Amino acid sequence: MEQGKGWFSKPRVETFSDGVFAIIITILVLELKVPHIEHPKDVAELASALWFILPKFFSWVISFFMICVIWVNHHRIFESITHVTHRIFWLNAYLLLWCAFIPFPTALVGDYPFNPLGLFIFGIVLGLMGLGFTLLRRAITKEQLLAGHINPKAFKKGNKNALIYGVILYLAGGISAWIHPIIALVIFAFIPVYFIFFNVQAGIENA
Amino acid sequence: MEQGKGWFSKPRVETFSDGVFAIIITILVLELKVPHIEHPKDVAELASALWFILPKFFSWVISFFMICVIWVNHHRIFESITHVTHRIFWLNAYLLLWCAFIPFPTALVGDYPFNPLGLFIFGIVLGLMGLGFTLLRRAITKEQLLAGHINPKAFKKGNKNALIYGVILYLAGGISAWIHPIIALVIFAFIPVYFIFFNVQAGIENA
Amino acid sequence: MEQGKGWFSKPRVETFSDGVFAIIITILVLELKVPHIEHPKDVAELASALWFILPKFFSWVISFFMICVIWVNHHRIFESITHVTHRIFWLNAYLLLWCAFIPFPTALVGDYPFNPLGLFIFGIVLGLMGLGFTLLRRAITKEQLLAGHINPKAFKKGNKNALIYGVILYLAGGISAWIHPIIALVIFAFIPVYFIFFNVQAGIENA
Amino acid sequence: MEQGKGWFSKPRVETFSDGVFAIIITILVLELKVPHIEHPKDVAELASALWFILPKFFSWVISFFMICVIWVNHHRIFESITHVTHRIFWLNAYLLLWCAFIPFPTALVGDYPFNPLGLFIFGIVLGLMGLGFTLLRRAITKEQLLAGHINPKAFKKGNKNALIYGVILYLAGGISAWIHPIIALVIFAFIPVYFIFFNVQAGIENA
């Protein structure tokens, strides 16, 4: 049995990870607090109070789609492997650590959208998360866990993409915040847009 | 394999979506805070404090059953399709985005039940969510993903119902808030009632 | 297929319900806030601050095991049925509504353990939840959904137990709070103790 | 069927437990609140405010990996047994009770990292959780639930390890806080490090 070699049940690791992703993506919204207004029926007062939290709404939308992108990449990787070893489990735990942390830098950017430090931390956290994907992919190649239906060359090319789009782009976003916050926000918003609209083919090649 | 065409594992997409629905429906109650009273043993003081948060309780009940209705529709759609493509995945993500957002307008309506702007936003958010179902259903027809046991004509009729009850009714509720908040509340409360008590047959025809 | 008759996928309804139970049982602890103390290193000050929130800890423990008992009953019922009809789904939703509401009366009792109104509401909510089990069990008998390996007589006896221990005992606890809060607390604490230590045999007979 | 003997569906108990673990590990981060600063664009002010909550970040990381270790042990135990009896279910519930409680002592240590009482409570709670594993393992041996592919001698050796690393080490950490908080923090941080980097072989032997 799998047990005899210290392996893990792939479905339970997937269920656990899916649970973590589903919770992160849902609790993000708890950071959006209903603003307090003096006159409960006053439309203008409520409108201006909501206008004030609009940056929080946009940082929430970006984080939501980023987590969807992470879920897609996670799904592709776990579909590609035959079993979960000790190393894969703990690299996955490292990945989930930074995913579970995302609500904090998201709230930071939502509260202080024009403070470069918040955007820098957001980029670093996402970059450290992306590093998890790169380490996972290297371990899969090293431990020869690729399932038979996966093309090893395409998988290796995916490793390179994961490094470029999953680590370097996030770090670039974080660093560019020191030049101007808007550049960082544009780079961060670009990442899910790229994955959703332009990476269809890449997804097919990699997987 | 599915992978080769860039498809997704249907069970994992369902598990992920079910997780999101289960969390939304459960964290909604966190908006109901226990009121602070001066004399912890005073029954009358606690009673009047609880009376004050009764609108929050009702907006919570309406949102709870609305999410159940959304779950039922989601379940019916995913039972109808053979596999999950890139387009279906991201339309599903769009749908989940607005579902995950529901706690915010729910709290807004709970805090300011007689402010038309809050009710209007509630209707818009639910309408944008309903648009997700309409887009999903059109994509299913376009990409010919219907499973063999589903009647395509009944499914198309379902598309029309989804547009009427899932988009137009929510928008009508939101817009009517500008006439009188009570009209909006009645329309919003009517939607789950309709689905639970009158739409049994429709569910059978569509699916 | 099940779909053709408007039925639901039993595994997905179970996954959704399990998700709701898992979340309720886990978020309950969020009500236990770390108390604020003036001198962060002062042991005596922290000890007395924690002593003050001890009632919250005990109401949390009781609610935790109550939800475990609810999970067990839910599990037994869903193991007993062959499929999930429209009526079963919505009675299950009614049950989950009151389950999802439990964190609120739990916090109420934790904040005001000696206010009879809080304990009364706790009893009413749990009683309305228990009513869900009674209605579910009646609908199962009426719609003849019992699986072949279930003894219908034992199931009917279970219906009676569900009414006595799941509705009447909770209501009795709520009402007795008006005599003395301690009586209510003892009755509420007794319910999970009874199920865990004395109801082993009953579980076997019913199921 | 399993039902006839009052047993539980192993997959549903696993799904429920996985849900609880996934939620605990994810909501831990909600304790990390974005600090309030006076000048939203001031980098130095934000940096010093974040520096102030760094202990919270580290207590979060330790708790995160501890829960991963708990998940691994839980997974190994449930892979080792053939079915879930009444006793196993309720010992599992006892285990989940203390797991679900972890966010509270984690926040306590994060808020008051140099108060020995907080660290002592952290150790006691984790020790009581570890006791759950010891009781579970004894019940499994007593009720002869071990699956055929598990070596009973290796399992018994695992029982001893569970007692040493899962109970005694946590209690030792808690008690040592009265000598010096740093000793406790080092012991707590050591536990996941040991499991991740040195216990690979033990995992294989036990399971």
Side-chain angles (χ1 to χ4, degrees):
Chain A
M1 301 301 290
E2 287 198 356
Q3 284 301 103
K5 296 187 180 163
W7 294 350
F8 290 84
S9 154
K10 206 174 96 172
R12 267 198 80 183
V13 176
E14 286 181 338
T15 306
F16 179 64
S17 307
D18 277 353
V20 172
F21 289 128
I23 298 154
I24 298 164
I25 219 168
T26 320
I27 62 173
L28 278 174
V29 86
L30 296 181
E31 287 298 326
L32 289 167
K33 304 278 182 209
V34 171
H36 180 75
I37 59 173
E38 291 299 313
H39 309 88
K41 293 184 185 177
D42 188 332
V43 170
E45 192 183 350
L46 185 56
S48 74
L50 291 174
W51 177 260
F52 191 71
I53 62 168
L54 212 59
K56 285 207 153 203
F57 175 76
F58 286 116
S59 80
W60 172 74
V61 171
I62 293 174
S63 291
F64 185 94
F65 282 114
M66 273 181 176
I67 292 166
C68 286
V69 168
I70 294 168
W71 187 89
V72 170
N73 286 325
H74 191 269
H75 169 271
R76 293 248 180 264
I77 284 179
F78 273 75
E79 289 280 303
S80 305
I81 60 176
T82 52
H83 55 270
V84 176
T85 62
H86 182 88
R87 188 195 297 253
I88 298 298
F89 178 83
W90 287 106
L91 287 176
N92 187 49
Y94 167 86
L95 180 74
L96 293 179
L97 175 87
W98 293 113
C99 290
F101 191 58
I102 289 174
F104 182 80
T106 301
L108 203 60
V109 170
D111 277 348
Y112 311 118
F114 299 113
N115 191 312
L117 184 59
L119 289 156
F120 180 67
I121 290 171
F122 190 92
I124 296 290
V125 167
L126 272 291
L128 287 168
M129 180 280 298
L131 186 66
F133 275 120
T134 293
L135 295 175
L136 259 178
R137 284 175 158 271
R138 294 214 170 168
I140 287 164
T141 305
K142 202 180 163 189
E143 299 202 342
Q144 296 184 303
L145 303 173
L146 270 191
H149 67 282
I150 303 296
N151 178 352
K153 277 199 186 172
F155 190 80
K156 277 213 171 170
K157 207 186 143 205
N159 292 4
K160 216 165 84 183
N161 284 342
L163 190 66
I164 295 171
Y165 295 105
V167 182
I168 293 174
L169 212 53
Y170 283 121
L171 292 181
I175 290 165
S176 67
W178 298 107
I179 306 169
H180 200 287
I182 294 294
I183 306 174
L185 287 167
V186 167
I187 292 175
F188 293 145
F190 166 75
I191 294 170
V193 169
Y194 170 78
F195 269 90
I196 298 167
F197 296 104
F198 303 103
N199 199 35
V200 190
Q201 206 53 33
I204 295 167
E205 287 170 359
N206 302 346
Chain B
M1 300 300 291
E2 288 196 355
Q3 284 301 104
K5 294 185 182 165
W7 294 350
F8 291 85
S9 154
K10 205 174 97 172
R12 266 198 81 182
V13 176
E14 285 180 338
T15 305
F16 179 63
S17 306
D18 277 353
V20 172
F21 290 129
I23 299 155
I24 299 164
I25 218 169
T26 320
I27 61 173
L28 277 174
V29 86
L30 296 181
E31 287 298 326
L32 289 166
K33 305 278 181 208
V34 170
H36 180 74
I37 59 173
E38 291 299 314
H39 309 88
K41 294 184 184 178
D42 188 333
V43 171
E45 192 184 351
L46 185 56
S48 73
L50 291 174
W51 177 259
F52 190 71
I53 61 167
L54 212 59
K56 284 208 152 203
F57 175 77
F58 286 116
S59 81
W60 172 73
V61 171
I62 292 174
S63 290
F64 185 95
F65 282 114
M66 273 181 176
I67 292 166
C68 286
V69 167
I70 293 169
W71 186 89
V72 170
N73 286 326
H74 191 268
H75 169 272
R76 295 247 179 264
I77 283 178
F78 272 76
E79 288 281 303
S80 306
I81 61 176
T82 51
H83 55 270
V84 176
T85 61
H86 182 88
R87 188 194 298 252
I88 298 298
F89 178 83
W90 286 107
L91 287 175
N92 188 48
Y94 167 86
L95 181 73
L96 293 179
L97 176 87
W98 293 113
C99 290
F101 191 58
I102 290 175
F104 182 80
T106 300
L108 204 61
V109 170
D111 277 348
Y112 311 118
F114 298 112
N115 191 313
L117 183 59
L119 290 156
F120 179 67
I121 290 172
F122 189 92
I124 296 290
V125 167
L126 272 291
L128 286 168
M129 181 280 300
L131 185 65
F133 276 120
T134 293
L135 294 174
L136 259 178
R137 285 174 158 274
R138 295 215 169 167
I140 287 165
T141 306
K142 201 181 165 188
E143 300 201 342
Q144 297 184 300
L145 304 174
L146 270 190
H149 66 282
I150 304 296
N151 179 350
K153 278 199 185 169
F155 190 81
K156 277 214 172 170
K157 206 185 145 205
N159 291 4
K160 216 165 83 182
N161 283 341
L163 190 66
I164 295 171
Y165 295 104
V167 182
I168 294 173
L169 212 53
Y170 283 121
L171 291 182
I175 291 164
S176 67
W178 298 106
I179 306 169
H180 200 286
I182 294 293
I183 306 174
L185 286 167
V186 167
I187 292 175
F188 292 145
F190 166 76
I191 295 171
V193 169
Y194 169 78
F195 268 90
I196 298 168
F197 296 105
F198 303 103
N199 199 34
V200 190
Q201 206 55 33
I204 296 167
E205 287 171 359
N206 301 347
Chain C
M1 300 302 291
E2 287 197 354
Q3 285 300 104
K5 295 185 180 166
W7 295 350
F8 291 85
S9 155
K10 206 173 96 170
R12 267 197 81 182
V13 176
E14 284 181 338
T15 306
F16 179 63
S17 306
D18 277 354
V20 172
F21 289 129
I23 298 154
I24 299 164
I25 218 168
T26 319
I27 61 172
L28 277 174
V29 86
L30 295 181
E31 286 299 325
L32 289 166
K33 304 279 182 207
V34 170
H36 180 75
I37 59 173
E38 291 299 314
H39 309 88
K41 294 185 185 177
D42 189 332
V43 171
E45 193 184 350
L46 185 57
S48 74
L50 291 174
W51 177 259
F52 190 71
I53 62 168
L54 212 58
K56 284 208 151 201
F57 175 76
F58 285 116
S59 80
W60 172 73
V61 172
I62 293 173
S63 291
F64 185 94
F65 282 114
M66 274 181 175
I67 291 165
C68 285
V69 167
I70 293 168
W71 187 89
V72 170
N73 286 326
H74 190 268
H75 169 272
R76 294 247 179 264
I77 284 179
F78 273 76
E79 288 282 302
S80 305
I81 60 177
T82 51
H83 55 270
V84 177
T85 62
H86 182 88
R87 186 195 299 251
I88 298 296
F89 178 84
W90 286 106
L91 287 176
N92 187 48
Y94 167 85
L95 180 73
L96 293 179
L97 175 87
W98 293 113
C99 290
F101 191 58
I102 289 175
F104 183 79
T106 300
L108 204 60
V109 169
D111 277 349
Y112 312 117
F114 299 112
N115 191 313
L117 183 60
L119 289 156
F120 180 67
I121 290 171
F122 190 93
I124 297 290
V125 167
L126 271 292
L128 286 168
M129 181 280 301
L131 185 67
F133 276 120
T134 293
L135 295 174
L136 258 178
R137 284 174 158 273
R138 295 214 169 167
I140 288 165
T141 305
K142 201 179 164 190
E143 300 201 343
Q144 296 183 303
L145 303 173
L146 271 191
H149 67 282
I150 303 295
N151 179 351
K153 278 199 183 169
F155 190 80
K156 276 213 172 170
K157 208 186 143 204
N159 291 4
K160 216 164 83 181
N161 283 341
L163 190 65
I164 296 172
Y165 295 104
V167 182
I168 294 174
L169 212 54
Y170 283 120
L171 292 182
I175 291 163
S176 67
W178 298 108
I179 307 170
H180 200 285
I182 293 293
I183 306 174
L185 286 168
V186 167
I187 292 174
F188 292 145
F190 166 75
I191 295 170
V193 169
Y194 170 78
F195 268 90
I196 298 168
F197 295 105
F198 303 104
N199 200 35
V200 189
Q201 207 54 34
I204 295 167
E205 287 171 1
N206 301 347
Chain D
M1 301 302 288
E2 288 197 355
Q3 284 301 104
K5 296 184 180 167
W7 294 349
F8 291 84
S9 154
K10 206 174 94 170
R12 266 197 80 182
V13 175
E14 285 181 337
T15 306
F16 179 63
S17 306
D18 276 354
V20 172
F21 289 129
I23 298 154
I24 298 164
I25 218 168
T26 320
I27 61 172
L28 277 173
V29 86
L30 296 181
E31 287 298 327
L32 289 166
K33 305 279 181 208
V34 170
H36 179 75
I37 59 173
E38 291 299 313
H39 310 87
K41 293 185 186 178
D42 189 331
V43 170
E45 192 184 350
L46 185 56
S48 74
L50 291 173
W51 177 261
F52 191 70
I53 61 168
L54 212 60
K56 284 208 154 203
F57 175 76
F58 286 115
S59 80
W60 172 72
V61 172
I62 293 174
S63 291
F64 185 94
F65 282 114
M66 273 181 176
I67 291 165
C68 285
V69 168
I70 294 168
W71 186 88
V72 170
N73 287 325
H74 191 269
H75 169 271
R76 293 248 178 265
I77 284 179
F78 273 76
E79 288 281 302
S80 305
I81 61 177
T82 51
H83 54 270
V84 176
T85 62
H86 182 88
R87 188 195 298 253
I88 298 298
F89 178 83
W90 286 107
L91 287 176
N92 188 49
Y94 166 85
L95 180 74
L96 293 180
L97 174 86
W98 293 113
C99 290
F101 191 57
I102 289 175
F104 183 79
T106 299
L108 204 59
V109 169
D111 277 349
Y112 311 118
F114 298 113
N115 191 313
L117 184 59
L119 290 156
F120 180 67
I121 290 172
F122 190 92
I124 296 290
V125 166
L126 272 290
L128 286 167
M129 180 280 300
L131 186 66
F133 275 120
T134 293
L135 295 174
L136 258 178
R137 284 174 158 274
R138 294 213 170 167
I140 287 165
T141 305
K142 201 181 164 189
E143 300 201 342
Q144 296 184 303
L145 303 173
L146 270 192
H149 67 281
I150 304 296
N151 178 351
K153 277 198 184 171
F155 191 79
K156 276 212 171 170
K157 207 187 142 204
N159 292 4
K160 216 165 83 182
N161 283 342
L163 190 65
I164 295 172
Y165 295 104
V167 182
I168 294 175
L169 213 53
Y170 283 121
L171 292 182
I175 291 165
S176 68
W178 297 106
I179 307 171
H180 200 287
I182 293 293
I183 306 174
L185 287 168
V186 168
I187 292 175
F188 292 146
F190 167 75
I191 295 170
V193 169
Y194 170 78
F195 267 91
I196 297 168
F197 295 105
F198 303 104
N199 199 36
V200 190
Q201 206 54 34
I204 296 167
E205 287 170 2
N206 301 347

